């Protein structure tokens, strides 16, 4: 089933993407025009299935799906059209479809008809967020400029892991070995950089808790540089690093430096979260108001 996506929020007009078959991947999402970075390309506001899942309770999922079949057979049919990477000789199961497609936020799981057609890349060009207070609505933004005909991808895992770790994680969870550009081009130096990046990121908190603010700031700067060197441009990760820089500069009493870091953080978070996603942006928004930084246009 092909789906055409229309721009949201007035940022662009016309059809932005199409859900089509992609060789070797099943269905996927292709840009139908050039799309600027930071464009809200999709709001999937009517999930097929959204609920709070404690652990991996199959009985709970079966009850949720039975209820869906009873109340909305059309949604149940569309749910079962999605991929099932755990499919055996007996065909698809609701359990397999759910765990092949569900997006997670805290204890909540969401399966959305269009958002779940976005394939994985370890160097994604889109970023997603889930709005719990809006019934599991999934928003997807472009992380960089997208060319016409380019596949739109999100990430299913932590892209800071090494190539072997990422591939193992994807094989275990989703049954495929990643062949994205980052995995194909990766070498030992790239993996070493990612290991160092994770370790340095952990040291930010360690140094901060010890009151070693100079060392913590040095780690922030090193993490930002490592993200760029490794080609990791996910707005959430960069925004988090920049916000650390803001907090540390504020602790130093360096208001101008703090403002600079905050402007960088706001620029990244703006690509990731809509203005009504209060759970995600309240802390950053409050800081922006104090410093006169525009969070949303």
């Amino acid at each position: 089933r092909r789906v055409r996506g229309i721009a949201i929020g007035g940022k662009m007009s016309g059809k932005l993407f199409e859900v089509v078959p992609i060789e070797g991947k099943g269905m996927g999402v292709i840009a139908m025009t050039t799309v600027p970075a930071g464009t809200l390309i999709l709001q999937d506001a009517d999930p097929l299935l959204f609920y709070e899942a404690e652990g991996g309770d199959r009985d709970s999922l079966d009850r949720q799906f039975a209820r869906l079949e009873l109340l909305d057979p059309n949604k149940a049919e569309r749910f079962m059209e999605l991929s099932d990477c755990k499919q055996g000789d007996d065909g698809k199961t609701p359990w397999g479809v759910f765990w092949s497609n569900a997006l997670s936020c805290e204890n909540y799981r969401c399966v959305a008809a269009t958002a779940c057609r976005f394939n994985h890349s370890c160097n994604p060009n889109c970023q997603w967020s889930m709005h719990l207070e809006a019934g599991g609505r999934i928003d997807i933004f472009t992380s960089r400029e997208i060319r016409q005909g380019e596949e739109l991808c999100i990430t299913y895992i932590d892209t800071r892991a090494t190539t072997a770790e990422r591939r193992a994680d994807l094989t275990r969870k989703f049954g495929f070995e990643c062949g994205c550009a980052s995995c194909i081009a990766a070498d030992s130096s790239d993996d070493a950089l990612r290991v160092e990046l994770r370790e340095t990121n952990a040291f930010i908190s360690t140094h901060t808790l010890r009151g070693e603010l100079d060392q913590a700031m040095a780690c922030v700067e090193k993490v930002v540089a490592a993200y760029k060197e490794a080609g990791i441009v996910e707005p959430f990760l960069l925004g988090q690093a920049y916000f650390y820089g803001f907090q540390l500069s504020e602790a130093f009493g360096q208001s101008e430096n703090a403002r600079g870091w905050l402007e960088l953080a706001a620029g990244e978070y703006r690509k990731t979260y809509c203005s009504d996603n209060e759970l995600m942006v309240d802390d950053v928004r409050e800081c922006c108001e104090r410093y006169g930084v525009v969070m949303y246009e």
Side-chain angles (χ1 to χ4, degrees):
R1 179 180 297 183
R2 292 191 174 211
V3 178
R4 290 174 182 260
I6 299 176
I8 304 294
K11 290 190 175 183
M12 295 186 68
S13 62
K15 297 181 176 73
L16 299 186
F17 66 84
E18 186 174 14
V19 178
V20 299
I22 295 181
E23 185 177 356
K25 293 185 176 183
M27 303 298 287
V29 182
I30 299 295
M32 297 182 69
T33 186
T34 299
V35 185
T39 300
L40 175 57
I41 199 168
L42 172 68
Q43 281 191 332
D44 210 331
D46 188 22
L48 301 177
L49 197 63
F50 170 68
Y51 75 107
E52 187 173 11
E54 293 289 347
D57 185 352
R58 187 163 187 164
D59 289 339
S60 175
L61 173 63
D62 288 341
R63 289 193 296 272
Q64 292 287 337
F65 187 72
R67 182 172 180 271
L68 183 66
E69 284 186 304
L70 179 65
L71 297 178
D72 198 331
N74 177 258
K75 272 192 175 182
E77 181 182 350
R78 292 163 63 204
F79 178 93
M80 292 305 296
E81 288 178 355
L82 296 171
S83 64
D84 180 354
C85 69
K86 304 180 185 301
Q87 183 174 340
D89 294 337
D90 295 333
K92 290 183 179 181
T93 65
W95 175 259
V97 171
F98 180 79
W99 286 109
S100 299
N101 294 277
L103 297 171
S104 303
C105 179
E106 298 177 6
N107 290 330
Y108 289 86
R109 307 288 183 269
C110 178
V111 176
T114 304
C116 290
R117 294 297 191 184
F118 283 69
N119 287 318
H120 165 83
S121 172
C122 296
N123 184 20
N125 52 24
C126 294
Q127 184 94 22
W128 67 271
S129 62
M130 184 188 300
H131 296 239
L132 303 181
E133 73 283 3
R137 189 187 80 216
I138 303 296
D139 290 349
I140 297 182
F141 282 80
T142 53
S143 303
R144 58 171 175 78
E145 182 177 276
I146 312 295
R147 301 183 306 274
Q148 182 178 0
E150 186 177 354
E151 185 178 8
L152 299 164
C153 293
I154 59 176
T155 183
Y156 300 169
I157 58 171
D158 186 347
T159 57
R160 295 170 293 182
T162 65
T163 305
E165 291 169 338
R166 297 196 309 271
R167 282 182 160 175
D169 200 17
L170 290 164
T171 299
R172 178 175 59 84
K173 292 179 178 177
F174 303 104
F176 70 88
E177 181 175 285
C178 187
C180 73
S182 290
C183 287
I184 293 173
D187 55 25
S188 57
S189 62
D190 178 77
D191 286 340
L193 178 63
R194 290 170 188 265
V195 170
E196 183 181 11
L197 194 161
R198 283 185 296 175
E199 292 174 349
T200 305
N201 194 64
F203 280 133
I204 296 173
S205 297
T206 301
H207 288 308
T208 302
L209 290 172
R210 291 175 179 172
E212 301 165 349
L213 301 187
D214 286 331
Q215 293 94 321
M217 180 60 84
C219 287
V220 169
E221 293 170 347
K222 191 173 181 179
V223 164
V224 170
Y227 279 145
K228 294 178 180 178
E229 185 178 349
I232 298 173
V233 294
E234 293 165 58
F236 172 75
L237 296 176
L238 284 169
Q240 185 182 58
Y242 290 143
F243 196 64
Y244 282 146
F246 159 75
Q247 291 173 311
L248 289 167
S249 293
E250 193 172 49
F252 282 127
Q254 300 171 345
S255 58
E256 285 303 310
N257 285 344
R259 180 186 173 86
W261 284 106
L262 185 59
E263 287 175 344
L264 291 171
E268 296 300 327
Y269 283 128
R270 195 179 299 127
K271 302 174 189 176
T272 309
Y273 301 122
C274 282
S275 59
D276 62 341
N277 193 346
E278 295 180 359
L279 292 176
M280 296 295 185
V281 301
D282 263 3
D283 288 345
V284 180
R285 196 200 321 256
E286 186 273 329
C287 294
C288 286
E289 289 174 355
R290 284 196 288 114
Y291 278 82
V293 172
V294 177
M295 181 72 187
Y296 295 101
E297 301 296 338

